[in-house]
Amino acid sequence: MLHYFYCAELAYTMVVNEKCDVYSFGVIALETIYGSHPREFISSIIRRSTAENIILQDFLDKRLPPLVDLRVAMDVVRLVSIALACLNPNPKSRPSMKEVSQEFLVNNPPKLSRPLHNISMLELMN
């Protein structure tokens, strides 16, 4: 199934390449964490200004159990960081799918210096 943003990017660039697939992966990953298609959020991250006001914990699907396990919380931070990198508005700045898969294989999760309610989506974009 093609996502709206994938189609919009294709219509805008008229180029089909592996970076379109990377973008779609980012959309699907965020959709999984968010619980529905994150249309408005994806539109806002292009502007970046709104993303700093969105807290990671508030973005997570409300049906998920609280993230009390530190390892699970770190995995969520990693997933969202990778997904956001895949949504970079500049296709050349997106990782390749090989780089994405290697990130998931690395056994070095990001250190959680603060609780999820203190981490903004903008921080994870950088």
Side-chain angles (χ1 to χ4, degrees):
M1 176 169 115
L2 290 176
H3 285 279
Y4 166 77
F5 293 100
Y6 176 81
C7 296
E9 182 183 49
L10 177 60
Y12 175 71
T13 64
M14 297 305 290
V15 176
V16 176
N17 60 38
E18 71 279 355
K19 297 299 182 149
C20 293
D21 291 339
V22 170
Y23 188 90
S24 292
F25 173 81
V27 171
I28 291 170
L30 284 185
E31 188 171 345
T32 302
I33 289 293
Y34 186 58
S36 63
H37 196 290
R39 260 179 208 85
E40 291 175 26
F41 173 74
I42 292 173
S43 296
S44 76
I45 64 172
I46 293 170
R47 294 185 302 272
R48 288 190 176 263
S49 59
T50 312
E52 73 182 48
N53 298 326
I54 300 173
I55 302 301
L56 174 59
Q57 186 171 348
D58 296 339
F59 184 80
L60 301 177
D61 188 340
K62 303 303 180 238
R63 297 170 292 183
L64 292 172
L67 297 175
V68 293
D69 183 330
L70 185 59
R71 174 74 180 162
V72 173
M74 289 188 302
D75 286 343
V76 167
V77 168
R78 181 194 313 214
L79 173 64
V80 172
S81 296
I82 292 169
L84 291 171
C86 293
L87 296 178
N88 191 308
N90 179 0
K92 292 179 181 175
S93 296
R94 295 177 196 150
S96 67
M97 279 311 296
K98 181 177 182 175
E99 292 169 324
V100 168
S101 65
Q102 288 173 338
E103 273 298 310
F104 285 118
L105 294 174
V106 172
N107 221 4
N108 246 352
K111 298 293 181 205
L112 218 56
S113 59
R114 296 185 322 277
L116 295 181
H117 66 269
N118 287 342
I119 299 174
S120 75
M121 295 297 276
L122 184 64
E123 290 175 70
L124 298 179
M125 290 170 59
N126 297 328

